Amino acid sequence: MTVRTRADLASLPAYVPGKSIPGAIKLASNEVSAGPLPSVVKAIAEAATGINRYPDSGCVELTGRLADKLGVPADHLAIGCGSVTLCQQLVQATCAENDEVLFAWRSFEAYPIVVHVAGAKQIRVPLTSEHGHDLDAMAAAITPNTRMVFVCNPNNPTGTALRTEQIEAFIARVPSDVLVVIDEAYKEFVDDAHIPDGVELAKQQWAAGRDNVAVLRTFSKAYGLAGLRIGYAVAQPHVAEALRKVYVPFSVNALAQVAAMASLDAEDELMVRCRAIVAERTRVRGELLAMGYDIPPTQANFVWLPLGERTTAFNEHCLAHKVVVRAFAGEGARVTIGEPEENDAFLAAARAFTS
C-alpha cells in the first residue's frame, strides 16, 4: 500500500523556472543581471552572523519602512515570501472549494497553479490580439462564484500594460465583494505616465468606498533580490489581516528582510539602473522590429516574441548560440533585458534565426 495523495495533483502542471546552463547567457527569468548593490550585499553579510535566531515573523521594521514609503498605515501591508507566495495566500484567504479566480491568459504561469492547489476553480480569459488584457471579456466572465481577479500589470510574459482609465473602468464593473489584485512585479520598469501606480490607484479607490482592490509588489526584479524571496501586498486592513492568518510563520527570512530595507535605502541608485534597463529595452525592441519580428510594446524588463509554432525552433536556435530564453511552446518566447553585451548576444542570435 502506498501513501495516498490528492488525485487531482496529477493534472497540475509544474511551474517551469527559467533554465540555467553553464557558460550560457541566461535571459529567461527576468532577473536583473547586475545583482544587488554593494551596500545591500554588505548588509546581508553583516546580518548573516545572526541567522541562528528566528527572523521577525511579523516583519515589523520592514512593514514600517514600506508604510512610510507608500503613504499607507502599517495595517494595510502584508509581507510574504515573494509575491508568488502572496498570490497563493490571497487565494487561500478568499476562496473555498469551487470558488472561482479569474485571470487573463497567457499571464503569470503561477496563477493556475496556486488556484488549483487551493482547491478553487480557475477561469482563464484569452488576451486580445494585441497581447493585452481583454477587460470587457474579463468583466463578462465574472459570476456569483468569482472571489478574486488577478490583473498582471505589466503583464507577464507579454509586457503589455493597462492604462489608468482602463483599470478604473474595469474596477467599477467588478462586484464589491470580488477582490481585484493588481500584480505589479515590474512596476519599477514602467516609463509611461498613463500606466498607473497601483498603490496610488488603490488608495483612490478606497477613498471612494471601494475596498476590494489590492496590490502586489516584489523585491525580486528591480531590487535584484530574486534569490531571497520577499514581496508585499497593499490592501485594506481586513484583507491584509486575512493574508497574515494564512502566512507560514517565519517564511520571510532574516536576510531577506535586511536586504529589502537596505535596498530601500539605495532606492535612488537602483532606479538609475532601472532607467538604464528601460533604455536597453527600447534598443532591443527597436532592433527586433527592424529584423521583422512582431514585438508588442512592453513596460517590463523583457520583450515578448509571439512566434507561435516557430517558438520551439527559436528556443533551440538561441540555446545553440548560448542564450537561454523562456519559451512557451506554440505561443512565444519571453526574453529578459540584460546587460548591453548580453542583449547584443541575443540580438545576434535573433538576427541569425531570420537569415
Side-chain angles (χ1 to χ4, degrees), residues 107-289:
S107 191
F108 183 32
E109 61 185 305
Y111 294 157
I113 298 172
V114 299
V115 172
H116 186 111
V117 168
K121 182 179 179 181
Q122 55 181 280
I123 306 297
R124 305 185 188 188
V125 178
L127 297 173
T128 66
S129 59
E130 289 78 34
H131 311 286
H133 285 66
D134 188 338
L135 294 181
D136 287 337
M138 290 175 69
I142 294 173
T143 75
N145 293 325
T146 306
R147 294 292 173 266
M148 189 167 65
V149 180
F150 282 117
V151 178
C152 190
N153 199 50
N155 186 48
N156 176 13
T158 61
T160 53
L162 296 162
R163 297 162 74 97
T164 301
E165 63 272 16
Q166 292 175 300
I167 299 180
E168 289 175 339
F170 175 71
I171 292 171
R173 298 176 64 182
V174 176
S176 60
D177 61 346
V178 174
L179 184 65
V180 178
V181 180
I182 304 173
D183 187 348
E184 290 191 324
Y186 302 94
K187 167 67 178 68
E188 292 83 4
F189 304 105
V190 172
D191 70 341
D192 184 341
H194 296 98
I195 310 305
D197 176 308
V199 174
E200 294 305 313
L201 185 148
K203 288 193 284 188
Q204 292 167 9
Q205 294 293 317
W206 301 337
R210 297 189 64 89
D211 65 356
N212 63 326
V213 180
V215 180
L216 294 178
R217 289 188 181 166
T218 182
F219 285 93
S220 294
K221 309 302 182 185
Y223 293 88
L225 302 182
L228 287 179
R229 314 305 307 126
I230 185 164
Y232 58 95
V234 186
Q236 282 286 284
H238 69 283
V239 176
E241 181 183 9
L243 280 172
R244 290 190 289 271
K245 285 183 176 180
V246 296
Y247 169 76
V248 176
F250 307 115
S251 58
V252 179
N253 70 73
L255 299 185
Q257 293 181 46
V258 167
M261 288 185 285
S263 295
L264 292 175
D265 290 337
E267 195 163 38
D268 289 345
E269 191 175 354
L270 284 163
M271 291 309 105
V272 170
R273 186 167 68 181
C274 286
R275 289 193 289 272
I277 291 172
V278 168
E280 275 294 287
R281 178 183 75 195
T282 300
R283 179 178 76 90
V284 169
R285 180 172 183 261
E287 293 202 26
L288 290 170
L289 289 170

Side-chain angles (χ1 to χ4, degrees), residues 291-340:
M291 294 177 203
Y293 288 96
D294 174 22
I295 311 294
T298 173
Q299 287 291 307
N301 70 331
F302 54 83
V303 292
W304 172 247
L305 288 73
L307 297 165
E309 295 306 316
R310 301 168 63 212
T311 301
T312 298
F314 181 83
N315 182 51
E316 292 173 352
H317 171 84
C318 288
L319 287 174
H321 285 73
K322 296 294 185 180
V323 178
V324 185
V325 303
R326 181 68 176 91
F328 299 87
E331 297 179 67
R334 187 193 68 200
V335 185
T336 307
I337 302 299
E339 294 295 293

